[in-house]
Amino acid sequence: MAAVVQFEQHPSETLKIGQGFTLADVDPDSTPGYRGNKADGRALLADLDGKLGELQEKLFAESRFGGTKRILLILQAMDTAGKGGIVSHVMSAMDPQGVQFKAFKAPTDEEKSYDFLWRIEKEVPAAGMVGVFDRSHYEDVLIHRVHSWATPEELKRRYVAINEFESRLTESGTKIIKVMLYISSEEQKSRLLARLDNPAKHWKYSHGDLDERAFFDDYMSAFQAAFDETNSEAAPWHVIPANKKWYARIAVQQLVLGALTDLDLQWPKAEFDVATERELVARS
Amino acid sequence: MAAVVQFEQHPSETLKIGQGFTLADVDPDSTPGYRGNKADGRALLADLDGKLGELQEKLFAESRFGGTKRILLILQAMDTAGKGGIVSHVMSAMDPQGVQFKAFKAPTDEEKSYDFLWRIEKEVPAAGMVGVFDRSHYEDVLIHRVHSWATPEELKRRYVAINEFESRLTESGTKIIKVMLYISSEEQKSRLLARLDNPAKHWKYSHGDLDERAFFDDYMSAFQAAFDETNSEAAPWHVIPANKKWYARIAVQQLVLGALTDLDLQWPKAEFDVATERELVARS
């Protein structure tokens, strides 16, 4: 069996955006830090599932003994970018008991009656959990900016509120990973066509998708503004080229693995005498 | 590649308990309806993941267009019986967006201040979802019976309340699958010893496990009483021999697959003109 092709540069370095980052400079077809092909990527993904599951179990185990660390993965993207597949894959490697998944849809009337972070706060991960947000509070500075549902002043207020909110999460033990999956307009077109060509995928299509697609460039500007305003050391943004789905998957897996590794997790030490308990169980 | 070994008799038939069922008659080492071995079981499990994922997606898709069907899988078992592994596996084949998982722990003070079904009601699956309960309202007639935390009259009241609750769920479109994973006392002992022999599993062990183990036979009586009182056509119990973990996994997978198949799910028909939309997307 051939050796698994590893990343040459870790995505937490190559994909983390820095000062002066410009989205337009990123090639959505590229595979930064990785020279392998699709088959290599799949093999790498499968190869690391065990490691991911083990680290997540350690995180959960620590919290049972007072640990307060936790992860929050925030995924933002244009429609068809592949959030769903990534969520399915990354989560399937982990124990459902230790994962808090939330897909944020258009807000309900009740949710709209509160500040935009109200519904988000309720879903932040508990100690020991890996939280996964499929869309998030960033919708309130993306779609709201694109359609001018918020004034520039209100948007500015929200960026500030988001930074305060995220730094509060960080201070209470949350490692935040913010990800934008970056697909090109052409790639989105071909994926929408593929949906229309498969009757089993028609339920995922609505004409509204096409309406939003007309604002593709405006969305890119809104993402750029969000990066400019909310990228921080504590809660950095990562832009993942996502025209190649297999690359986006291994990149997200690497980011989560990297975050878990950085937490320096340890199996809790037994608070009982192992030999004594062993003897008691054996006699039971 | 060898053909995958299928079940000869479907677990929804062989494992569903009937009138006069006696738990003591079940052999926890057996593999009812299945002649394959562990390797066969693993191959079957992997082989059917795709089917499971597809059916679950159909269920979810239907609900986006007004469908009200849903599944509720209830798992009950003695400690170490393997609930966690089953949940992980069955759920990993499905889209997290369509699965509502809840592990019921010892009730909080707030939960205790309400009727025992209060916290359960809040977690019942929404339309289109596969709900998975790791423990459930049955704790209130199992551990409560074993330790006499409830009087016989109160237990009787709870059985009736459970039946009413479950028939209400069924009437609103929920297909309920109740499962007891049945391991022997000897098997539990060896699994507890294995936990103690692996430092990475010490966090899962507590001396309280051993205390409960002393009541093993009382738990079996409590399960028998629950079967006698709450087995119904609408919400039948299944007893799955679980000394062989691989068997328990394929059996649960079969039960979920069977329930989804029984729902006769269809991909929603497009409510738009496919050719027109295709043309619009192509031009966009």
Side-chain angles (χ1 to χ4, degrees), chain A residues 57 60-61 65 88 91-92 96-97 105 189 196-197 200-203 205 207 210 213 267 272 274 277-278 280 282 284, chain B residues 57 60-61 88 91-92 96-97 105 189 196-197 200-203 205 207 210 213 267 272 274 277-278 280 282 284:
Chain A
E57 189 181 343
F60 186 80
F65 293 83
S88 282
M91 286 179 63
S92 74
Q97 192 178 207
K105 310 287 184 184
K189 181 195 285 193
L196 287 167
D197 291 341
K201 298 294 174 198
H202 284 173
W203 71 275
Y205 180 88
H207 186 79
L210 196 53
R213 176 168 160 70
W267 290 117
F272 47 83
V274 178
E277 292 298 320
R278 215 188 175 290
L280 289 171
S284 72
Chain B
E57 189 181 342
F60 186 80
S88 283
M91 287 179 62
S92 73
Q97 193 177 207
K105 310 288 187 186
K189 181 196 285 192
L196 287 167
D197 290 340
K201 298 295 173 197
H202 284 172
W203 71 276
Y205 180 88
H207 186 79
L210 195 52
R213 177 169 160 70
W267 290 118
F272 48 83
V274 178
E277 293 298 320
R278 217 190 172 289
L280 289 170
S284 71

Short mmCIF file of all heavy atoms in Angstrom, two decimals, chain A residues 57 60-61 65 88 91-92 96-97 105 189 196-197 200-203 205 207 210 213 267 272 274 277-278 280 282 284, chain B residues 57 60-61 88 91-92 96-97 105 189 196-197 200-203 205 207 210 213 267 272 274 277-278 280 282 284:
data_model
loop_
_atom_site.label_atom_id
_atom_site.label_comp_id
_atom_site.label_asym_id
_atom_site.label_seq_id
_atom_site.Cartn_x
_atom_site.Cartn_y
_atom_site.Cartn_z
N GLU A 57 -12.59 12.62 21.64
CA GLU A 57 -12.94 11.89 22.85
C GLU A 57 -12.15 12.41 24.05
O GLU A 57 -12.67 12.54 25.15
CB GLU A 57 -12.71 10.38 22.67
CG GLU A 57 -13.26 9.56 23.84
CD GLU A 57 -13.03 8.06 23.71
OE1 GLU A 57 -12.74 7.58 22.60
OE2 GLU A 57 -13.15 7.36 24.74
N PHE A 60 -13.71 15.64 25.19
CA PHE A 60 -14.93 15.33 25.95
C PHE A 60 -14.58 14.78 27.33
O PHE A 60 -15.15 15.18 28.34
CB PHE A 60 -15.76 14.31 25.15
CG PHE A 60 -17.10 14.02 25.76
CD1 PHE A 60 -18.17 14.89 25.57
CD2 PHE A 60 -17.30 12.87 26.52
CE1 PHE A 60 -19.41 14.62 26.13
CE2 PHE A 60 -18.54 12.60 27.09
CZ PHE A 60 -19.60 13.47 26.89
N ALA A 61 -13.63 13.85 27.36
CA ALA A 61 -13.23 13.22 28.62
C ALA A 61 -12.71 14.27 29.61
O ALA A 61 -13.09 14.26 30.79
CB ALA A 61 -12.17 12.15 28.36
N PHE A 65 -14.05 15.95 33.83
CA PHE A 65 -13.28 16.14 35.05
C PHE A 65 -12.90 17.60 35.24
O PHE A 65 -11.82 17.92 35.71
CB PHE A 65 -12.05 15.23 35.02
CG PHE A 65 -12.41 13.78 35.09
CD1 PHE A 65 -12.80 13.08 33.94
CD2 PHE A 65 -12.45 13.10 36.31
CE1 PHE A 65 -13.19 11.75 34.00
CE2 PHE A 65 -12.83 11.77 36.37
CZ PHE A 65 -13.21 11.09 35.23
N SER A 88 -20.95 16.52 7.36
CA SER A 88 -21.21 15.09 7.47
C SER A 88 -19.92 14.33 7.69
O SER A 88 -19.83 13.48 8.57
CB SER A 88 -21.86 14.54 6.20
OG SER A 88 -23.21 14.87 6.16
N MET A 91 -18.01 15.28 11.08
CA MET A 91 -18.76 14.82 12.25
C MET A 91 -18.82 13.30 12.34
O MET A 91 -18.88 12.75 13.43
CB MET A 91 -20.16 15.42 12.24
CG MET A 91 -20.13 16.90 12.63
SD MET A 91 -21.75 17.67 12.62
CE MET A 91 -22.60 16.73 13.91
N SER A 92 -18.82 12.63 11.21
CA SER A 92 -18.95 11.17 11.26
C SER A 92 -17.75 10.53 11.95
O SER A 92 -17.83 9.40 12.42
CB SER A 92 -19.13 10.59 9.85
OG SER A 92 -17.91 10.63 9.15
N PRO A 96 -21.15 11.40 18.38
CA PRO A 96 -22.25 12.39 18.37
C PRO A 96 -22.49 13.01 19.74
O PRO A 96 -22.92 14.15 19.84
CB PRO A 96 -23.47 11.56 17.95
CG PRO A 96 -22.92 10.37 17.24
CD PRO A 96 -21.57 10.09 17.86
N GLN A 97 -22.18 12.26 20.78
CA GLN A 97 -22.36 12.78 22.13
C GLN A 97 -21.49 14.01 22.39
O GLN A 97 -21.79 14.81 23.26
CB GLN A 97 -22.03 11.66 23.13
CG GLN A 97 -22.43 11.97 24.54
CD GLN A 97 -22.14 10.83 25.50
OE1 GLN A 97 -22.80 10.70 26.50
NE2 GLN A 97 -21.14 10.01 25.22
N LYS A 105 -30.82 28.80 9.95
CA LYS A 105 -31.66 29.14 8.79
C LYS A 105 -32.07 30.60 8.89
O LYS A 105 -31.68 31.29 9.83
CB LYS A 105 -32.92 28.26 8.80
CG LYS A 105 -32.65 26.77 8.99
CD LYS A 105 -32.06 26.17 7.75
CE LYS A 105 -31.89 24.66 7.91
NZ LYS A 105 -31.23 24.07 6.74
N LYS A 189 -22.36 27.61 -10.79
CA LYS A 189 -23.28 27.37 -11.90
C LYS A 189 -23.32 25.88 -12.25
O LYS A 189 -24.40 25.29 -12.39
CB LYS A 189 -22.85 28.17 -13.14
CG LYS A 189 -23.81 27.96 -14.32
CD LYS A 189 -23.22 28.43 -15.65
CE LYS A 189 -23.24 29.95 -15.72
NZ LYS A 189 -22.98 30.42 -17.10
N LEU A 196 -30.10 20.28 -10.88
CA LEU A 196 -31.30 20.25 -11.72
C LEU A 196 -31.33 18.98 -12.58
O LEU A 196 -32.41 18.53 -12.98
CB LEU A 196 -31.35 21.49 -12.60
CG LEU A 196 -31.72 22.77 -11.84
CD1 LEU A 196 -31.44 24.01 -12.70
CD2 LEU A 196 -33.18 22.75 -11.42
N ASP A 197 -30.18 18.42 -12.83
CA ASP A 197 -30.13 17.21 -13.66
C ASP A 197 -30.38 15.93 -12.87
O ASP A 197 -30.43 14.85 -13.44
CB ASP A 197 -28.77 17.11 -14.37
CG ASP A 197 -28.64 18.20 -15.44
OD1 ASP A 197 -29.69 18.74 -15.85
OD2 ASP A 197 -27.50 18.51 -15.84
N ALA A 200 -33.26 13.42 -7.65
CA ALA A 200 -33.10 13.21 -6.21
C ALA A 200 -32.53 14.46 -5.52
O ALA A 200 -32.47 14.52 -4.30
CB ALA A 200 -32.19 12.02 -5.94
N LYS A 201 -32.13 15.45 -6.31
CA LYS A 201 -31.60 16.68 -5.72
C LYS A 201 -32.50 17.89 -5.95
O LYS A 201 -32.19 19.00 -5.51
CB LYS A 201 -30.20 16.98 -6.28
CG LYS A 201 -29.15 15.91 -5.98
CD LYS A 201 -28.84 15.82 -4.49
CE LYS A 201 -27.91 14.65 -4.18
NZ LYS A 201 -27.92 14.26 -2.76
N HIS A 202 -33.62 17.67 -6.64
CA HIS A 202 -34.51 18.80 -6.91
C HIS A 202 -35.00 19.49 -5.64
O HIS A 202 -35.22 20.69 -5.61
CB HIS A 202 -35.71 18.35 -7.75
CG HIS A 202 -35.35 18.12 -9.19
ND1 HIS A 202 -36.21 17.57 -10.11
CD2 HIS A 202 -34.20 18.36 -9.88
CE1 HIS A 202 -35.62 17.48 -11.28
NE2 HIS A 202 -34.40 17.95 -11.17
N TRP A 203 -35.18 18.70 -4.58
CA TRP A 203 -35.69 19.28 -3.33
C TRP A 203 -34.72 20.32 -2.77
O TRP A 203 -35.12 21.17 -1.97
CB TRP A 203 -35.98 18.18 -2.31
CG TRP A 203 -34.76 17.52 -1.74
CD1 TRP A 203 -34.06 16.48 -2.28
CD2 TRP A 203 -34.10 17.85 -0.52
NE1 TRP A 203 -33.00 16.15 -1.47
CE2 TRP A 203 -33.00 16.97 -0.38
CE3 TRP A 203 -34.32 18.80 0.48
CZ2 TRP A 203 -32.13 17.01 0.71
CZ3 TRP A 203 -33.45 18.85 1.57
CH2 TRP A 203 -32.36 17.96 1.67
N TYR A 205 -33.17 22.50 -4.59
CA TYR A 205 -33.13 23.68 -5.45
C TYR A 205 -34.35 24.55 -5.26
O TYR A 205 -35.46 24.05 -5.12
CB TYR A 205 -33.06 23.23 -6.92
CG TYR A 205 -33.02 24.40 -7.88
CD1 TYR A 205 -31.80 24.97 -8.24
CD2 TYR A 205 -34.19 24.96 -8.39
CE1 TYR A 205 -31.76 26.05 -9.09
CE2 TYR A 205 -34.15 26.05 -9.24
CZ TYR A 205 -32.94 26.59 -9.59
OH TYR A 205 -32.88 27.67 -10.43
N HIS A 207 -35.85 28.55 -6.79
CA HIS A 207 -35.54 29.66 -7.68
C HIS A 207 -34.80 30.77 -6.94
O HIS A 207 -34.01 31.52 -7.51
CB HIS A 207 -36.83 30.20 -8.32
CG HIS A 207 -36.56 31.25 -9.35
ND1 HIS A 207 -36.15 30.95 -10.63
CD2 HIS A 207 -36.58 32.60 -9.26
CE1 HIS A 207 -35.95 32.07 -11.29
NE2 HIS A 207 -36.22 33.09 -10.49
N LEU A 210 -31.13 31.11 -7.40
CA LEU A 210 -30.70 31.83 -8.60
C LEU A 210 -30.73 33.33 -8.35
O LEU A 210 -29.85 34.08 -8.80
CB LEU A 210 -31.64 31.44 -9.76
CG LEU A 210 -31.18 31.75 -11.18
CD1 LEU A 210 -29.80 31.20 -11.45
CD2 LEU A 210 -32.19 31.16 -12.16
N ARG A 213 -27.76 34.17 -6.48
CA ARG A 213 -26.58 34.01 -7.34
C ARG A 213 -26.27 35.29 -8.12
O ARG A 213 -25.10 35.60 -8.40
CB ARG A 213 -26.83 32.84 -8.30
CG ARG A 213 -25.74 32.61 -9.30
CD ARG A 213 -25.89 31.29 -10.03
NE ARG A 213 -25.13 31.31 -11.27
CZ ARG A 213 -23.81 31.28 -11.34
NH1 ARG A 213 -23.10 31.20 -10.22
NH2 ARG A 213 -23.19 31.32 -12.50
N TRP A 267 -5.63 12.38 28.59
CA TRP A 267 -6.65 11.51 29.20
C TRP A 267 -6.69 11.80 30.69
O TRP A 267 -5.63 11.87 31.32
CB TRP A 267 -6.30 10.03 28.99
CG TRP A 267 -6.44 9.58 27.57
CD1 TRP A 267 -5.43 9.11 26.78
CD2 TRP A 267 -7.63 9.54 26.78
NE1 TRP A 267 -5.92 8.80 25.54
CE2 TRP A 267 -7.27 9.03 25.51
CE3 TRP A 267 -8.96 9.88 27.01
CZ2 TRP A 267 -8.19 8.86 24.48
CZ3 TRP A 267 -9.88 9.71 25.99
CH2 TRP A 267 -9.50 9.21 24.74
N PHE A 272 -9.41 6.80 41.03
CA PHE A 272 -9.63 5.63 41.89
C PHE A 272 -8.37 4.77 41.80
O PHE A 272 -7.53 4.97 40.92
CB PHE A 272 -10.86 4.84 41.42
CG PHE A 272 -10.88 4.60 39.94
CD1 PHE A 272 -10.17 3.54 39.38
CD2 PHE A 272 -11.59 5.45 39.07
CE1 PHE A 272 -10.18 3.32 38.00
CE2 PHE A 272 -11.59 5.24 37.70
CZ PHE A 272 -10.89 4.16 37.15
N VAL A 274 -6.77 1.72 40.54
CA VAL A 274 -7.12 0.80 39.46
C VAL A 274 -7.07 -0.66 39.92
O VAL A 274 -7.98 -1.44 39.65
CB VAL A 274 -6.20 1.02 38.24
CG1 VAL A 274 -6.53 0.03 37.14
CG2 VAL A 274 -6.33 2.45 37.72
N GLU A 277 -10.08 -1.53 42.14
CA GLU A 277 -11.33 -1.64 41.38
C GLU A 277 -11.32 -2.90 40.52
O GLU A 277 -12.34 -3.58 40.37
CB GLU A 277 -11.53 -0.41 40.49
CG GLU A 277 -11.79 0.88 41.26
CD GLU A 277 -13.08 0.84 42.09
OE1 GLU A 277 -14.10 0.30 41.63
OE2 GLU A 277 -13.05 1.34 43.24
N ARG A 278 -10.16 -3.20 39.98
CA ARG A 278 -10.04 -4.39 39.13
C ARG A 278 -10.40 -5.64 39.93
O ARG A 278 -11.12 -6.53 39.47
CB ARG A 278 -8.61 -4.48 38.61
CG ARG A 278 -8.56 -5.05 37.21
CD ARG A 278 -7.21 -5.36 36.67
NE ARG A 278 -7.37 -6.02 35.37
CZ ARG A 278 -7.84 -7.23 35.21
NH1 ARG A 278 -8.19 -7.95 36.26
NH2 ARG A 278 -7.99 -7.75 33.99
N LEU A 280 -12.24 -5.75 42.63
CA LEU A 280 -13.67 -5.71 42.98
C LEU A 280 -14.54 -6.17 41.80
O LEU A 280 -15.49 -6.93 41.97
CB LEU A 280 -14.08 -4.30 43.42
CG LEU A 280 -13.53 -3.84 44.78
CD1 LEU A 280 -13.81 -2.36 45.01
CD2 LEU A 280 -14.16 -4.68 45.92
N ALA A 282 -13.57 -8.06 39.29
CA ALA A 282 -13.31 -9.48 39.03
C ALA A 282 -14.13 -10.37 39.97
O ALA A 282 -14.60 -11.44 39.60
CB ALA A 282 -11.82 -9.77 39.17
N SER A 284 -16.99 -9.52 41.28
CA SER A 284 -18.43 -9.19 41.25
C SER A 284 -19.23 -10.20 40.43
O SER A 284 -18.69 -10.92 39.62
CB SER A 284 -18.63 -7.79 40.68
OG SER A 284 -18.38 -7.79 39.28
N GLU B 57 -32.06 10.97 3.89
CA GLU B 57 -32.16 12.21 3.12
C GLU B 57 -33.56 12.38 2.53
O GLU B 57 -34.12 13.47 2.50
CB GLU B 57 -31.10 12.25 2.01
CG GLU B 57 -31.03 13.62 1.34
CD GLU B 57 -30.00 13.72 0.22
OE1 GLU B 57 -29.08 12.86 0.16
OE2 GLU B 57 -30.12 14.64 -0.62
N PHE B 60 -35.89 13.56 5.23
CA PHE B 60 -35.66 14.98 5.47
C PHE B 60 -36.25 15.81 4.33
O PHE B 60 -36.93 16.81 4.56
CB PHE B 60 -34.16 15.24 5.59
CG PHE B 60 -33.81 16.64 5.96
CD1 PHE B 60 -33.88 17.06 7.28
CD2 PHE B 60 -33.40 17.56 5.00
CE1 PHE B 60 -33.56 18.37 7.63
CE2 PHE B 60 -33.08 18.87 5.34
CZ PHE B 60 -33.16 19.27 6.67
N ALA B 61 -36.01 15.36 3.11
CA ALA B 61 -36.49 16.10 1.94
C ALA B 61 -38.02 16.20 1.95
O ALA B 61 -38.59 17.27 1.70
CB ALA B 61 -36.00 15.41 0.66
N SER B 88 -22.85 6.12 17.32
CA SER B 88 -21.82 6.68 16.46
C SER B 88 -21.93 6.11 15.06
O SER B 88 -21.90 6.83 14.07
CB SER B 88 -20.42 6.37 16.99
OG SER B 88 -20.09 7.19 18.05
N MET B 91 -25.39 6.91 13.20
CA MET B 91 -25.49 8.33 12.88
C MET B 91 -24.48 8.76 11.84
O MET B 91 -24.73 9.68 11.06
CB MET B 91 -25.38 9.17 14.14
CG MET B 91 -26.63 9.07 15.00
SD MET B 91 -26.53 10.03 16.53
CE MET B 91 -26.35 11.70 15.87
N SER B 92 -23.32 8.12 11.82
CA SER B 92 -22.29 8.56 10.88
C SER B 92 -22.72 8.35 9.44
O SER B 92 -22.20 8.98 8.52
CB SER B 92 -20.96 7.84 11.15
OG SER B 92 -21.03 6.50 10.73
N PRO B 96 -25.93 14.93 9.56
CA PRO B 96 -26.18 15.46 10.91
C PRO B 96 -27.35 16.44 10.94
O PRO B 96 -28.03 16.56 11.94
CB PRO B 96 -24.87 16.18 11.25
CG PRO B 96 -23.83 15.57 10.38
CD PRO B 96 -24.54 15.14 9.12
N GLN B 97 -27.58 17.10 9.82
CA GLN B 97 -28.69 18.05 9.76
C GLN B 97 -30.04 17.36 9.96
O GLN B 97 -31.01 18.00 10.36
CB GLN B 97 -28.67 18.73 8.39
CG GLN B 97 -29.56 19.93 8.31
CD GLN B 97 -29.48 20.65 6.96
OE1 GLN B 97 -29.71 21.82 6.88
NE2 GLN B 97 -29.15 19.93 5.89
N LYS B 105 -29.11 12.06 30.73
CA LYS B 105 -28.32 11.77 31.92
C LYS B 105 -29.25 11.82 33.13
O LYS B 105 -30.45 12.03 33.00
CB LYS B 105 -27.23 12.83 32.08
CG LYS B 105 -26.41 13.08 30.83
CD LYS B 105 -25.49 11.92 30.55
CE LYS B 105 -24.54 12.23 29.39
NZ LYS B 105 -23.75 11.08 29.02
N LYS B 189 -18.92 -7.83 32.98
CA LYS B 189 -17.73 -7.90 33.82
C LYS B 189 -16.47 -7.78 32.95
O LYS B 189 -15.56 -7.00 33.25
CB LYS B 189 -17.69 -9.22 34.59
CG LYS B 189 -16.47 -9.33 35.50
CD LYS B 189 -16.21 -10.74 35.97
CE LYS B 189 -17.21 -11.12 37.06
NZ LYS B 189 -16.80 -12.37 37.76
N LEU B 196 -10.80 -0.94 32.68
CA LEU B 196 -9.80 -0.68 33.72
C LEU B 196 -8.39 -0.97 33.22
O LEU B 196 -7.42 -0.41 33.72
CB LEU B 196 -10.11 -1.53 34.96
CG LEU B 196 -11.31 -1.03 35.77
CD1 LEU B 196 -11.75 -2.08 36.79
CD2 LEU B 196 -10.96 0.28 36.48
N ASP B 197 -8.28 -1.82 32.20
CA ASP B 197 -6.96 -2.17 31.68
C ASP B 197 -6.47 -1.17 30.63
O ASP B 197 -5.36 -1.31 30.13
CB ASP B 197 -6.99 -3.58 31.07
CG ASP B 197 -7.15 -4.64 32.16
OD1 ASP B 197 -6.86 -4.31 33.33
OD2 ASP B 197 -7.57 -5.77 31.84
N ALA B 200 -6.80 4.96 28.62
CA ALA B 200 -7.59 5.90 27.81
C ALA B 200 -9.09 5.71 28.05
O ALA B 200 -9.90 6.49 27.58
CB ALA B 200 -7.28 5.71 26.33
N LYS B 201 -9.46 4.67 28.80
CA LYS B 201 -10.88 4.44 29.09
C LYS B 201 -11.22 4.66 30.56
O LYS B 201 -12.38 4.51 30.96
CB LYS B 201 -11.29 3.02 28.68
CG LYS B 201 -11.14 2.72 27.19
CD LYS B 201 -12.08 3.56 26.34
CE LYS B 201 -11.81 3.36 24.85
NZ LYS B 201 -12.39 4.42 24.02
N HIS B 202 -10.21 4.99 31.36
CA HIS B 202 -10.47 5.17 32.80
C HIS B 202 -11.52 6.25 33.06
O HIS B 202 -12.29 6.15 34.00
CB HIS B 202 -9.18 5.52 33.54
CG HIS B 202 -8.29 4.32 33.73
ND1 HIS B 202 -7.01 4.40 34.23
CD2 HIS B 202 -8.50 3.00 33.48
CE1 HIS B 202 -6.48 3.19 34.28
NE2 HIS B 202 -7.36 2.33 33.81
N TRP B 203 -11.56 7.27 32.21
CA TRP B 203 -12.53 8.35 32.42
C TRP B 203 -13.96 7.85 32.33
O TRP B 203 -14.89 8.47 32.84
CB TRP B 203 -12.29 9.49 31.44
CG TRP B 203 -12.65 9.19 30.01
CD1 TRP B 203 -11.87 8.55 29.09
CD2 TRP B 203 -13.87 9.49 29.35
NE1 TRP B 203 -12.52 8.44 27.90
CE2 TRP B 203 -13.76 9.01 28.02
CE3 TRP B 203 -15.06 10.12 29.74
CZ2 TRP B 203 -14.79 9.14 27.08
CZ3 TRP B 203 -16.07 10.25 28.81
CH2 TRP B 203 -15.94 9.77 27.50
N TYR B 205 -14.97 5.04 33.61
CA TYR B 205 -15.27 4.17 34.72
C TYR B 205 -15.52 4.96 36.00
O TYR B 205 -14.85 5.94 36.27
CB TYR B 205 -14.09 3.22 34.97
CG TYR B 205 -14.33 2.26 36.12
CD1 TYR B 205 -14.97 1.04 35.90
CD2 TYR B 205 -13.96 2.59 37.42
CE1 TYR B 205 -15.22 0.17 36.95
CE2 TYR B 205 -14.21 1.74 38.48
CZ TYR B 205 -14.84 0.53 38.23
OH TYR B 205 -15.11 -0.33 39.28
N HIS B 207 -16.77 4.07 40.27
CA HIS B 207 -17.12 3.01 41.21
C HIS B 207 -18.63 2.77 41.22
O HIS B 207 -19.09 1.66 41.49
CB HIS B 207 -16.61 3.34 42.61
CG HIS B 207 -16.82 2.21 43.57
ND1 HIS B 207 -15.99 1.10 43.61
CD2 HIS B 207 -17.79 1.99 44.49
CE1 HIS B 207 -16.45 0.25 44.52
NE2 HIS B 207 -17.53 0.77 45.08
N LEU B 210 -20.01 -0.19 39.41
CA LEU B 210 -19.95 -1.47 40.12
C LEU B 210 -21.13 -1.60 41.08
O LEU B 210 -21.72 -2.68 41.22
CB LEU B 210 -18.61 -1.54 40.87
CG LEU B 210 -18.14 -2.89 41.38
CD1 LEU B 210 -18.15 -3.94 40.28
CD2 LEU B 210 -16.74 -2.74 41.96
N ARG B 213 -24.01 -2.55 39.08
CA ARG B 213 -23.84 -3.92 38.60
C ARG B 213 -24.37 -4.96 39.60
O ARG B 213 -24.87 -6.01 39.21
CB ARG B 213 -22.34 -4.16 38.33
CG ARG B 213 -22.00 -5.57 37.89
CD ARG B 213 -20.57 -5.67 37.39
NE ARG B 213 -20.12 -7.06 37.42
CZ ARG B 213 -20.57 -8.00 36.62
NH1 ARG B 213 -21.49 -7.70 35.72
NH2 ARG B 213 -20.16 -9.25 36.72
N TRP B 267 -38.84 11.00 -3.25
CA TRP B 267 -38.20 12.30 -3.47
C TRP B 267 -39.30 13.30 -3.84
O TRP B 267 -40.15 13.00 -4.69
CB TRP B 267 -37.19 12.24 -4.61
CG TRP B 267 -35.96 11.45 -4.29
CD1 TRP B 267 -35.53 10.32 -4.91
CD2 TRP B 267 -34.99 11.74 -3.27
NE1 TRP B 267 -34.35 9.89 -4.35
CE2 TRP B 267 -33.99 10.74 -3.33
CE3 TRP B 267 -34.86 12.75 -2.31
CZ2 TRP B 267 -32.89 10.71 -2.48
CZ3 TRP B 267 -33.75 12.72 -1.45
CH2 TRP B 267 -32.79 11.71 -1.55
N PHE B 272 -41.08 23.41 -9.68
CA PHE B 272 -40.70 24.40 -10.69
C PHE B 272 -40.53 23.66 -12.01
O PHE B 272 -40.45 22.42 -12.04
CB PHE B 272 -39.40 25.10 -10.28
CG PHE B 272 -38.32 24.13 -9.85
CD1 PHE B 272 -37.52 23.50 -10.80
CD2 PHE B 272 -38.11 23.83 -8.50
CE1 PHE B 272 -36.53 22.60 -10.42
CE2 PHE B 272 -37.13 22.92 -8.12
CZ PHE B 272 -36.34 22.31 -9.07
N VAL B 274 -38.29 22.34 -14.58
CA VAL B 274 -36.85 22.03 -14.57
C VAL B 274 -36.15 22.63 -15.78
O VAL B 274 -35.08 23.26 -15.66
CB VAL B 274 -36.61 20.50 -14.50
CG1 VAL B 274 -35.13 20.20 -14.55
CG2 VAL B 274 -37.23 19.94 -13.22
N GLU B 277 -35.72 26.42 -15.44
CA GLU B 277 -34.70 26.79 -14.45
C GLU B 277 -33.30 26.48 -14.98
O GLU B 277 -32.36 27.24 -14.78
CB GLU B 277 -34.94 26.06 -13.12
CG GLU B 277 -36.20 26.48 -12.38
CD GLU B 277 -36.20 27.95 -11.96
OE1 GLU B 277 -35.14 28.46 -11.53
OE2 GLU B 277 -37.25 28.60 -12.07
N ARG B 278 -33.21 25.37 -15.69
CA ARG B 278 -31.92 24.96 -16.24
C ARG B 278 -31.40 26.03 -17.21
O ARG B 278 -30.22 26.40 -17.18
CB ARG B 278 -32.10 23.63 -16.98
CG ARG B 278 -30.91 22.72 -16.81
CD ARG B 278 -30.89 21.50 -17.67
NE ARG B 278 -29.60 20.86 -17.51
CZ ARG B 278 -28.46 21.35 -17.99
NH1 ARG B 278 -28.46 22.48 -18.67
NH2 ARG B 278 -27.31 20.72 -17.78
N LEU B 280 -32.27 29.18 -17.23
CA LEU B 280 -31.94 30.40 -16.47
C LEU B 280 -30.58 30.29 -15.79
O LEU B 280 -29.79 31.24 -15.77
CB LEU B 280 -33.04 30.69 -15.43
CG LEU B 280 -34.38 31.15 -15.99
CD1 LEU B 280 -35.45 31.17 -14.88
CD2 LEU B 280 -34.25 32.54 -16.62
N ALA B 282 -28.10 28.31 -16.69
CA ALA B 282 -27.06 28.25 -17.72
C ALA B 282 -26.72 29.65 -18.21
O ALA B 282 -25.56 29.95 -18.52
CB ALA B 282 -27.53 27.38 -18.88
N SER B 284 -26.98 32.35 -16.40
CA SER B 284 -26.63 33.25 -15.29
C SER B 284 -25.12 33.46 -15.17
O SER B 284 -24.34 32.67 -15.65
CB SER B 284 -27.17 32.70 -13.97
OG SER B 284 -26.45 31.55 -13.58
#
